Amino acid sequence: MKLGIVGLPNVGKSTLFNAITKAGAEAANYPFCTIEPNTGVVTVPDERLRVLHEIYNSKKTVYTTIEFYDIAGLVKGASQGQGLGNKFLGHIREAAAIVHVVRCFDDANVVHVDGKVDPISDIETINTELILSDMELLERRIQKTAKSAKSDKTLQGELDLLNRINEVLAEGRSARVLADELSEEENTFVRSLDLLSYKPIIYAANISEEDASSGEENEYVKAVRAFAQTEGSEVVVVCAKIEAEISELDDEEKALFLEELGLGESGLDKLIKASYKLLNLISFLTAGEPEVRAWTIKNGAKAPEAAGKIHTDFQKGFIRAETISYDKLVECNGNLAQAREKGLVRSEGKDYVVKDGDVIHFLFNV
């Protein structure tokens, strides 16, 4: 899973990236400090793996990971080549989803590229550039499809959908606002267009340290939430400076520090949860003495598809999936024989839809 971190210059984007990946991306108080995208890989925290590791005394524990791309700050006119322009837009295209860092703090010592703090204006600046880039792409596609539709009437539905998307973009709205209105088939087609403004987005509202425990009361944050609701996007409130401090602590110190601040979890943990929700992802588990491991799949995936995440042979030669929920396995202290006696281990076939927290052993033959 690749997430592109974007934002106007000096909104705390690279500071947040440094904190959550400890990758040491340069962070400085001037525009275009980031030119090539820095990449950091972070593990997805999952308490279930720690518990299973202790039960089985496993030799190896493997968490799932998320890749974060720290993409250069954007300015008005990027779609026409201003700033780093098309280079910036090209990097976004590689991401599965966008994390848009929005400045929600006042600080006279940190310059704002537009001279004032206005998170909605910042959001609209970036969205406009993505929309303009999409309109240019769609214009070419519409012309090509319209020409082909003259001799192939089956393309009329596709042309109508392209024009419908273009009308939304012309109104200054992102293509993602249409997602809930489209059929599964139409959504699949629109995703194939690789429109920037159709990518799922999380707005990371970056607040000051003073607002850390009361971020939801921040007027800038309230404005961002109201905007996000209009397009069905997620909002996560973070303090990049605090995340930077947390990144230097061990797990015990981190827990104490968060408790002192009155925070239940770190911004990174909130961001990961929001990412999973946004991309409709879940994790199933495999467990034993050699290894305990989490595997990420789309919510709704069936057993053979989940098996294919481990190895393509598992999917090709799928026979069945011996499945038990994590909670039930822990109740039996990892003793599968005991779990079978209690009827807790299920034998699932190819039509079984995997659930989050399923602990699975796949049987296959190739």
Side-chain angles (χ1 to χ4, degrees), residues 124-302:
E124 289 174 345
T125 294
I126 286 189
N127 282 355
T128 296
E129 298 309 320
L130 302 187
I131 288 167
L132 289 172
S133 177
D134 286 347
M135 289 181 74
E136 187 179 334
L137 184 152
L138 267 186
E139 185 180 345
R140 294 193 298 269
R141 183 63 181 259
I142 288 170
Q143 288 176 354
K144 182 180 176 182
T145 305
K147 186 177 180 181
S148 300
K150 289 178 182 177
S151 56
D152 183 355
K153 299 304 179 186
T154 63
L155 291 174
Q156 188 58 48
E158 181 179 308
L159 181 59
D160 291 343
L161 180 54
L162 290 169
N163 281 317
R164 183 179 171 190
I165 299 165
N166 205 39
E167 286 170 10
V168 167
L169 297 177
E171 293 169 0
R173 296 189 295 155
S174 297
R176 72 180 68 90
V177 304
L178 281 174
D180 290 340
E181 300 175 19
L182 302 180
S183 67
E184 189 174 337
E185 185 180 353
E186 288 172 328
N187 268 304
T188 299
F189 170 71
V190 179
R191 279 195 292 271
S192 74
L193 299 174
D194 206 16
L195 300 176
L196 298 177
S197 71
Y198 196 68
K199 288 185 180 291
I201 192 164
I202 299 170
Y203 293 106
N206 185 19
I207 58 174
S208 67
E209 291 174 280
E210 291 75 21
D211 283 350
S213 60
S214 58
E216 295 297 337
E217 301 305 313
N218 180 306
E219 292 303 319
Y220 295 140
V221 171
K222 289 178 181 178
V224 172
R225 283 204 182 281
F227 179 88
Q229 284 180 353
T230 67
E231 56 176 29
S233 296
E234 295 283 326
V235 178
V236 171
V237 180
V238 299
C239 174
K241 283 189 175 182
I242 287 177
E243 293 300 315
E245 293 176 50
I246 289 173
S247 69
E248 302 299 324
L249 306 176
D250 61 32
D251 289 346
E252 190 175 331
E253 291 172 328
K254 172 183 165 183
L256 286 171
F257 185 55
L258 289 172
E259 188 179 339
E260 287 174 9
L261 292 171
L263 302 174
E265 57 187 344
S266 71
L268 173 58
D269 289 349
K270 290 192 288 185
L271 192 54
I272 288 171
K273 285 180 182 177
S275 302
Y276 266 62
K277 180 181 175 183
L278 187 71
L279 295 172
N280 197 26
L281 301 173
I282 61 170
S283 294
F284 74 91
L285 314 171
T286 52
E289 189 270 334
E291 174 185 280
V292 293
R293 184 166 185 159
W295 306 84
T296 299
I297 56 172
K298 277 283 187 183
N299 191 11
K302 293 183 178 179

Side-chain angles (χ1 to χ4, degrees), residues 293-347:
R293 184 166 185 159
W295 306 84
T296 299
I297 56 172
K298 277 283 187 183
N299 191 11
K302 293 183 178 179
E305 187 180 342
K309 286 290 290 186
I310 299 175
H311 199 286
T312 53
D313 283 350
F314 283 30
Q315 184 168 5
K316 288 176 186 174
F318 178 86
I319 299 173
R320 66 180 185 273
E322 292 189 346
T323 308
I324 182 172
S325 71
Y326 163 78
D327 291 337
K328 298 299 182 186
L329 183 61
V330 172
E331 277 179 26
C332 297
N333 199 34
N335 189 324
L336 280 174
Q338 184 186 117
R340 282 195 178 90
E341 285 177 12
K342 293 182 176 182
L344 300 175
V345 178
R346 309 183 309 275
S347 183

Side-chain angles (χ1 to χ4, degrees), residues 18-35:
N18 286 352
I20 63 181
T21 65
K22 299 183 184 177
E26 186 177 2
N29 187 17
Y30 56 91
F32 306 124
C33 164
T34 309
I35 299 175

Side-chain angles (χ1 to χ4, degrees), residues 73-91:
L74 183 64
V75 293
K76 289 176 182 174
S79 57
Q80 278 75 52
Q82 293 296 315
L84 296 172
N86 294 328
K87 200 168 192 177
F88 171 94
L89 299 170
H91 292 319

